[in-house]
Amino acid sequence: MHTIFFENKPRIIATGTIAGPKECAGVVGKYVDKTLSDDTFGETTYEKAECKMLAYAVRKTIENANLSEKDIDLLISGDLLNQIISASFTARDFDFPFLGVYGACSTLAESMAVAAAFVNAGYHKRIIAATGSHFSSAERQYRYPLELGNTRPPQSQWTVTGAGGVLVGDGGSDVAITCATLGKVVDFGITDVNNMGAAMAPAACDTILNHLRDTGRSVDYYDLIITGDLGALGSRIVKDLTWEKGVDMQKNHVDCGEIVYDVIEREFQGGSGAGCSAVVFGSYIMDGLKKRKLNRVLLCATGALLSTVSSGQGESIPCITHAVAIENI
Amino acid sequence: MHTIFFENKPRIIATGTIAGPKECAGVVGKYVDKTLSDDTFGETTYEKAECKMLAYAVRKTIENANLSEKDIDLLISGDLLNQIISASFTARDFDFPFLGVYGACSTLAESMAVAAAFVNAGYHKRIIAATGSHFSSAERQYRYPLELGNTRPPQSQWTVTGAGGVLVGDGGSDVAITCATLGKVVDFGITDVNNMGAAMAPAACDTILNHLRDTGRSVDYYDLIITGDLGALGSRIVKDLTWEKGVDMQKNHVDCGEIVYDVIEREFQGGSGAGCSAVVFGSYIMDGLKKRKLNRVLLCATGALLSTVSSGQGESIPCITHAVAIENI
């Protein structure tokens, strides 16, 4: 059993999102709280800009809930940067405790799952789960110096510049987190660090199948099954993999990475990064849930758990997917 | 309130530890499950050796509990390497789900706190919290290439080569985790990356004071208040800081970093690293608890949440301390 059930139905009270100009040209543009006109956000480095975005998302989430900082019991956050500095430095700005998590691009679902588990158990009343990423800080950490102007292969994805916070609490909304399926690490032996979608798709398939088995639900139970950032290629693969196991997600699957950019051109397979699902879920999807255009969604955030050192030492890419079921009640 | 109380008293069923030759020359030598004769552990890189130690600790923890892998519901783990690759690659070896956490050297207490919270709430029966570190992989990631033979300043600490696992379950032992105090990020503006003890001491002080306030306990309640790895200098500072607030820890404070090495010489202030508290707690302290030489301990693992990038960009060092109360019942 990989699924935890939340009988007290912790709610999503509010979200707060921010994204870069390129991201806001797409589907999320209408829904995010703040669109950056310049991806440095007035800072001198991309890392500081990423951290400032995350802090903005946390603060905006509190504001959107009409609460103040003292109403928050805990921040659960992580990001893509080494030693999750964006999350740690964001936490420094606030007076509530902090749990640092790391799940690469699965961080949003991981932190939401832990937040819901803690609220459901009555340990806390209100917890913020938050994450973010920045194209330029991720690019120079994971790949090449930006100044190199390196060409990108067609299977690559574009790290989303953006951040999102989700306030999980014990009431105050009709949108509930009803259960969470924690992922296990799956490694299909992919070594191409530009082909994250293919690497992560088997982990997404594993968690989705575990979720359906544990809950006894069919795929039609959900209005949408949302994967984190498999991109266009990874989305095709996960639909093929689940189809082989008798699960047809053709009609109700959507991938945050695939839909986040309006024109998939220089981004090739679409978006990626911890901020991808945070921005898409926190703005576009939450809007649908609040307006009851969507009533049951399964958010499956996918993460590739590699580092430049592990790749450099010839390792393949272990991946993970955590899923949270979000339902209007 | 920063403290979560565990009414169902989740137990520590077993621990499993491994450490390098330098570490095993000290106090933990008699108690660890395996002493490495060579810190490469038969691997071609230090990172792979670190990962192999962590996997050993997890496997040994299960074995020490007379259980098998299928009895374990979840692994909660993190480490010091970029993108916590030791934890993620360890998780790949096992069939149970994985939650990645990051709290630098506070990781053991953070993962134990989450494990106890999940077991206490009835979500899982048995969870392994585990972490580790390796001197050579940490040194070359955070500081300088080992080949440089760089001199070390007197305020520096020596990253422990070792790993430890703690199996938290719903019964099967008299050693219980009764509550956990989650830390908030504290930054006193220290920028010297060699002076972690001084940077982390204020965070340790903050969490210890919060714990005593939340629980209504006095410092004498505990046989030992164990800080993670402040080292000799940091230990003096935390005792001064708490003393200023009317809390006298002189008689029952011990620091894992200060006691881990037999002769503090090349290590200057003592040990550090996520593996430091994992090895000291999992072997020496747990032996005392099992033999009832110790009955009430407060494990306060301390973490410095910096990265080479944050330091390079002129940032000070944000720190955190998570505490778990462990009691014979």
Side-chain angles (χ1 to χ4, degrees), chain B residues 241-267:
Chain B
L241 289 174
T242 49
W243 184 82
E244 282 175 9
K245 301 285 181 181
V247 172
D248 184 359
M249 302 205 304
Q250 205 62 44
K251 280 182 295 190
N252 57 350
H253 170 260
V254 72
D255 182 75
C256 296
E258 196 174 6
I259 63 169
V260 68
Y261 293 116
D262 220 15
V263 180
I264 298 185
E265 189 179 302
R266 274 181 62 203
E267 313 80 27

mmCIF file of all heavy atoms in Angstrom, chain B residues 241-267:
data_model
loop_
_atom_site.group_PDB
_atom_site.id
_atom_site.type_symbol
_atom_site.label_atom_id
_atom_site.label_comp_id
_atom_site.label_asym_id
_atom_site.label_seq_id
_atom_site.Cartn_x
_atom_site.Cartn_y
_atom_site.Cartn_z
ATOM 1 N N LEU B 241 24.706 30.583 25.018
ATOM 2 C CA LEU B 241 23.463 31.208 24.539
ATOM 3 C C LEU B 241 22.259 30.768 25.367
ATOM 4 O O LEU B 241 21.403 31.584 25.711
ATOM 5 C CB LEU B 241 23.225 30.870 23.059
ATOM 6 C CG LEU B 241 24.163 31.522 22.031
ATOM 7 C CD1 LEU B 241 23.882 30.950 20.638
ATOM 8 C CD2 LEU B 241 23.987 33.034 22.012
ATOM 9 N N THR B 242 22.184 29.466 25.682
ATOM 10 C CA THR B 242 21.053 28.988 26.483
ATOM 11 C C THR B 242 21.176 29.485 27.929
ATOM 12 O O THR B 242 20.173 29.823 28.551
ATOM 13 C CB THR B 242 20.945 27.445 26.458
ATOM 14 O OG1 THR B 242 22.234 26.891 26.736
ATOM 15 C CG2 THR B 242 20.474 26.946 25.112
ATOM 16 N N TRP B 243 22.407 29.564 28.422
ATOM 17 C CA TRP B 243 22.631 30.053 29.794
ATOM 18 C C TRP B 243 22.133 31.488 29.937
ATOM 19 O O TRP B 243 21.512 31.854 30.932
ATOM 20 C CB TRP B 243 24.126 29.965 30.144
ATOM 21 C CG TRP B 243 24.434 30.364 31.547
ATOM 22 C CD1 TRP B 243 24.323 29.589 32.668
ATOM 23 C CD2 TRP B 243 24.886 31.660 31.982
ATOM 24 N NE1 TRP B 243 24.685 30.318 33.778
ATOM 25 C CE2 TRP B 243 25.032 31.586 33.386
ATOM 26 C CE3 TRP B 243 25.186 32.863 31.326
ATOM 27 C CZ2 TRP B 243 25.466 32.673 34.146
ATOM 28 C CZ3 TRP B 243 25.615 33.943 32.074
ATOM 29 C CH2 TRP B 243 25.750 33.846 33.474
ATOM 30 N N GLU B 244 22.381 32.278 28.880
ATOM 31 C CA GLU B 244 21.898 33.674 28.887
ATOM 32 C C GLU B 244 20.378 33.747 28.990
ATOM 33 O O GLU B 244 19.818 34.749 29.432
ATOM 34 C CB GLU B 244 22.326 34.398 27.601
ATOM 35 C CG GLU B 244 23.774 34.843 27.620
ATOM 36 C CD GLU B 244 24.195 35.448 26.278
ATOM 37 O OE1 GLU B 244 23.312 35.662 25.413
ATOM 38 O OE2 GLU B 244 25.397 35.690 26.105
ATOM 39 N N LYS B 245 19.706 32.684 28.519
ATOM 40 C CA LYS B 245 18.238 32.654 28.585
ATOM 41 C C LYS B 245 17.755 31.900 29.824
ATOM 42 O O LYS B 245 16.594 31.492 29.907
ATOM 43 C CB LYS B 245 17.676 31.982 27.328
ATOM 44 C CG LYS B 245 18.066 32.664 26.030
ATOM 45 C CD LYS B 245 17.277 33.944 25.819
ATOM 46 C CE LYS B 245 17.654 34.609 24.502
ATOM 47 N NZ LYS B 245 16.928 35.862 24.295
ATOM 48 N N GLY B 246 18.664 31.635 30.757
ATOM 49 C CA GLY B 246 18.271 31.002 32.012
ATOM 50 C C GLY B 246 18.210 29.490 31.966
ATOM 51 O O GLY B 246 17.617 28.856 32.836
ATOM 52 N N VAL B 247 18.804 28.890 30.933
ATOM 53 C CA VAL B 247 18.797 27.427 30.803
ATOM 54 C C VAL B 247 20.235 26.926 30.927
ATOM 55 O O VAL B 247 21.084 27.256 30.101
ATOM 56 C CB VAL B 247 18.189 27.002 29.443
ATOM 57 C CG1 VAL B 247 18.368 25.508 29.217
ATOM 58 C CG2 VAL B 247 16.713 27.387 29.374
ATOM 59 N N ASP B 248 20.506 26.143 31.952
ATOM 60 C CA ASP B 248 21.867 25.682 32.194
ATOM 61 C C ASP B 248 22.042 24.241 31.710
ATOM 62 O O ASP B 248 21.578 23.297 32.347
ATOM 63 C CB ASP B 248 22.179 25.786 33.696
ATOM 64 C CG ASP B 248 23.632 25.417 33.989
ATOM 65 O OD1 ASP B 248 24.369 25.062 33.042
ATOM 66 O OD2 ASP B 248 24.016 25.476 35.166
ATOM 67 N N MET B 249 22.708 24.079 30.566
ATOM 68 C CA MET B 249 22.901 22.743 29.989
ATOM 69 C C MET B 249 24.276 22.166 30.331
ATOM 70 O O MET B 249 24.709 21.181 29.729
ATOM 71 C CB MET B 249 22.770 22.803 28.460
ATOM 72 C CG MET B 249 21.441 23.339 27.943
ATOM 73 S SD MET B 249 21.091 22.710 26.287
ATOM 74 C CE MET B 249 22.584 23.258 25.418
ATOM 75 N N GLN B 250 24.977 22.787 31.268
ATOM 76 C CA GLN B 250 26.354 22.406 31.571
ATOM 77 C C GLN B 250 26.495 20.915 31.909
ATOM 78 O O GLN B 250 27.419 20.252 31.465
ATOM 79 C CB GLN B 250 26.842 23.248 32.761
ATOM 80 C CG GLN B 250 28.353 23.424 32.835
ATOM 81 C CD GLN B 250 28.904 24.160 31.618
ATOM 82 O OE1 GLN B 250 28.336 25.165 31.179
ATOM 83 N NE2 GLN B 250 29.983 23.646 31.050
ATOM 84 N N LYS B 251 25.531 20.415 32.668
ATOM 85 C CA LYS B 251 25.685 19.063 33.198
ATOM 86 C C LYS B 251 25.255 17.946 32.242
ATOM 87 O O LYS B 251 25.769 16.842 32.315
ATOM 88 C CB LYS B 251 24.859 18.938 34.497
ATOM 89 C CG LYS B 251 25.574 19.536 35.709
ATOM 90 C CD LYS B 251 24.747 19.346 36.960
ATOM 91 C CE LYS B 251 23.447 20.125 36.848
ATOM 92 N NZ LYS B 251 22.672 20.189 38.090
ATOM 93 N N ASN B 252 24.300 18.249 31.378
ATOM 94 C CA ASN B 252 23.753 17.140 30.588
ATOM 95 C C ASN B 252 23.748 17.409 29.080
ATOM 96 O O ASN B 252 22.921 16.877 28.360
ATOM 97 C CB ASN B 252 22.334 16.778 31.077
ATOM 98 C CG ASN B 252 21.388 17.959 31.027
ATOM 99 O OD1 ASN B 252 21.818 19.086 30.808
ATOM 100 N ND2 ASN B 252 20.107 17.700 31.206
ATOM 101 N N HIS B 253 24.675 18.229 28.632
ATOM 102 C CA HIS B 253 24.792 18.458 27.195
ATOM 103 C C HIS B 253 25.984 17.701 26.635
ATOM 104 O O HIS B 253 27.052 17.646 27.238
ATOM 105 C CB HIS B 253 24.971 19.953 26.890
ATOM 106 C CG HIS B 253 25.341 20.208 25.455
ATOM 107 N ND1 HIS B 253 26.640 20.463 25.052
ATOM 108 C CD2 HIS B 253 24.594 20.198 24.331
ATOM 109 C CE1 HIS B 253 26.661 20.618 23.738
ATOM 110 N NE2 HIS B 253 25.438 20.469 23.276
ATOM 111 N N VAL B 254 25.758 17.112 25.467
ATOM 112 C CA VAL B 254 26.862 16.477 24.759
ATOM 113 C C VAL B 254 26.655 16.768 23.271
ATOM 114 O O VAL B 254 25.526 16.944 22.813
ATOM 115 C CB VAL B 254 26.902 14.957 25.076
ATOM 116 C CG1 VAL B 254 25.761 14.216 24.390
ATOM 117 C CG2 VAL B 254 28.222 14.346 24.691
ATOM 118 N N ASP B 255 27.751 16.874 22.535
ATOM 119 C CA ASP B 255 27.648 17.155 21.108
ATOM 120 C C ASP B 255 28.280 16.007 20.320
ATOM 121 O O ASP B 255 29.420 15.614 20.601
ATOM 122 C CB ASP B 255 28.362 18.477 20.784
ATOM 123 C CG ASP B 255 28.243 18.830 19.311
ATOM 124 O OD1 ASP B 255 27.151 19.259 18.900
ATOM 125 O OD2 ASP B 255 29.231 18.632 18.576
ATOM 126 N N CYS B 256 27.523 15.498 19.350
ATOM 127 C CA CYS B 256 28.025 14.357 18.571
ATOM 128 C C CYS B 256 29.351 14.698 17.887
ATOM 129 O O CYS B 256 30.256 13.876 17.823
ATOM 130 C CB CYS B 256 27.010 13.948 17.508
ATOM 131 S SG CYS B 256 25.457 13.353 18.168
ATOM 132 N N GLY B 257 29.456 15.914 17.373
ATOM 133 C CA GLY B 257 30.686 16.316 16.702
ATOM 134 C C GLY B 257 31.862 16.398 17.653
ATOM 135 O O GLY B 257 33.003 16.068 17.296
ATOM 136 N N GLU B 258 31.588 16.825 18.874
ATOM 137 C CA GLU B 258 32.669 16.988 19.842
ATOM 138 C C GLU B 258 33.198 15.650 20.346
ATOM 139 O O GLU B 258 34.383 15.520 20.673
ATOM 140 C CB GLU B 258 32.155 17.827 21.034
ATOM 141 C CG GLU B 258 33.265 18.377 21.914
ATOM 142 C CD GLU B 258 32.735 19.324 22.994
ATOM 143 O OE1 GLU B 258 31.505 19.461 23.131
ATOM 144 O OE2 GLU B 258 33.569 19.920 23.690
ATOM 145 N N ILE B 259 32.313 14.648 20.418
ATOM 146 C CA ILE B 259 32.752 13.373 21.018
ATOM 147 C C ILE B 259 33.139 12.312 20.003
ATOM 148 O O ILE B 259 33.711 11.291 20.363
ATOM 149 C CB ILE B 259 31.663 12.775 21.951
ATOM 150 C CG1 ILE B 259 30.378 12.421 21.176
ATOM 151 C CG2 ILE B 259 31.359 13.727 23.104
ATOM 152 C CD1 ILE B 259 29.392 11.590 21.987
ATOM 153 N N VAL B 260 32.840 12.555 18.713
ATOM 154 C CA VAL B 260 32.980 11.434 17.771
ATOM 155 C C VAL B 260 34.439 11.021 17.552
ATOM 156 O O VAL B 260 34.725 9.832 17.382
ATOM 157 C CB VAL B 260 32.248 11.731 16.438
ATOM 158 C CG1 VAL B 260 32.926 12.846 15.660
ATOM 159 C CG2 VAL B 260 32.111 10.468 15.596
ATOM 160 N N TYR B 261 35.371 11.971 17.556
ATOM 161 C CA TYR B 261 36.772 11.599 17.333
ATOM 162 C C TYR B 261 37.516 11.493 18.654
ATOM 163 O O TYR B 261 37.343 12.330 19.549
ATOM 164 C CB TYR B 261 37.460 12.600 16.403
ATOM 165 C CG TYR B 261 36.904 12.550 15.003
ATOM 166 C CD1 TYR B 261 36.239 13.642 14.447
ATOM 167 C CD2 TYR B 261 37.008 11.392 14.249
ATOM 168 C CE1 TYR B 261 35.708 13.577 13.177
ATOM 169 C CE2 TYR B 261 36.470 11.317 12.974
ATOM 170 C CZ TYR B 261 35.821 12.412 12.444
ATOM 171 O OH TYR B 261 35.287 12.344 11.194
ATOM 172 N N ASP B 262 38.360 10.494 18.725
ATOM 173 C CA ASP B 262 39.078 10.228 19.959
ATOM 174 C C ASP B 262 40.054 11.364 20.258
ATOM 175 O O ASP B 262 40.101 11.903 21.358
ATOM 176 C CB ASP B 262 39.836 8.908 19.820
ATOM 177 C CG ASP B 262 39.762 8.119 21.091
ATOM 178 O OD1 ASP B 262 38.918 8.454 21.934
ATOM 179 O OD2 ASP B 262 40.539 7.166 21.236
ATOM 180 N N VAL B 263 40.822 11.707 19.288
ATOM 181 C CA VAL B 263 41.772 12.802 19.452
ATOM 182 C C VAL B 263 41.355 13.920 18.510
ATOM 183 O O VAL B 263 41.283 13.715 17.306
ATOM 184 C CB VAL B 263 43.205 12.355 19.097
ATOM 185 C CG1 VAL B 263 44.177 13.508 19.275
ATOM 186 C CG2 VAL B 263 43.618 11.169 19.940
ATOM 187 N N ILE B 264 40.999 15.065 19.063
ATOM 188 C CA ILE B 264 40.648 16.201 18.204
ATOM 189 C C ILE B 264 41.943 16.923 17.861
ATOM 190 O O ILE B 264 42.491 17.679 18.649
ATOM 191 C CB ILE B 264 39.643 17.146 18.891
ATOM 192 C CG1 ILE B 264 38.335 16.404 19.174
ATOM 193 C CG2 ILE B 264 39.364 18.362 18.027
ATOM 194 C CD1 ILE B 264 37.221 17.249 19.730
ATOM 195 N N GLU B 265 42.424 16.647 16.698
ATOM 196 C CA GLU B 265 43.741 17.172 16.344
ATOM 197 C C GLU B 265 43.641 17.758 14.936
ATOM 198 O O GLU B 265 43.372 18.932 14.770
ATOM 199 C CB GLU B 265 44.743 16.016 16.401
ATOM 200 C CG GLU B 265 46.183 16.460 16.267
ATOM 201 C CD GLU B 265 47.098 15.245 16.372
ATOM 202 O OE1 GLU B 265 47.037 14.534 17.416
ATOM 203 O OE2 GLU B 265 47.837 15.007 15.421
ATOM 204 N N ARG B 266 43.728 16.907 13.917
ATOM 205 C CA ARG B 266 43.562 17.423 12.564
ATOM 206 C C ARG B 266 42.115 17.831 12.325
ATOM 207 O O ARG B 266 41.811 18.572 11.407
ATOM 208 C CB ARG B 266 43.984 16.387 11.533
ATOM 209 C CG ARG B 266 45.477 16.417 11.219
ATOM 210 C CD ARG B 266 45.822 15.383 10.172
ATOM 211 N NE ARG B 266 45.156 15.620 8.913
ATOM 212 C CZ ARG B 266 44.922 14.677 7.996
ATOM 213 N NH1 ARG B 266 45.301 13.444 8.226
ATOM 214 N NH2 ARG B 266 44.314 14.974 6.867
ATOM 215 N N GLU B 267 41.223 17.305 13.169
ATOM 216 C CA GLU B 267 39.794 17.619 12.996
ATOM 217 C C GLU B 267 39.425 18.914 13.707
ATOM 218 O O GLU B 267 38.305 19.365 13.646
ATOM 219 C CB GLU B 267 38.925 16.489 13.542
ATOM 220 C CG GLU B 267 39.331 15.106 13.111
ATOM 221 C CD GLU B 267 40.497 14.570 13.930
ATOM 222 O OE1 GLU B 267 40.651 14.993 15.076
ATOM 223 O OE2 GLU B 267 41.264 13.755 13.393
#
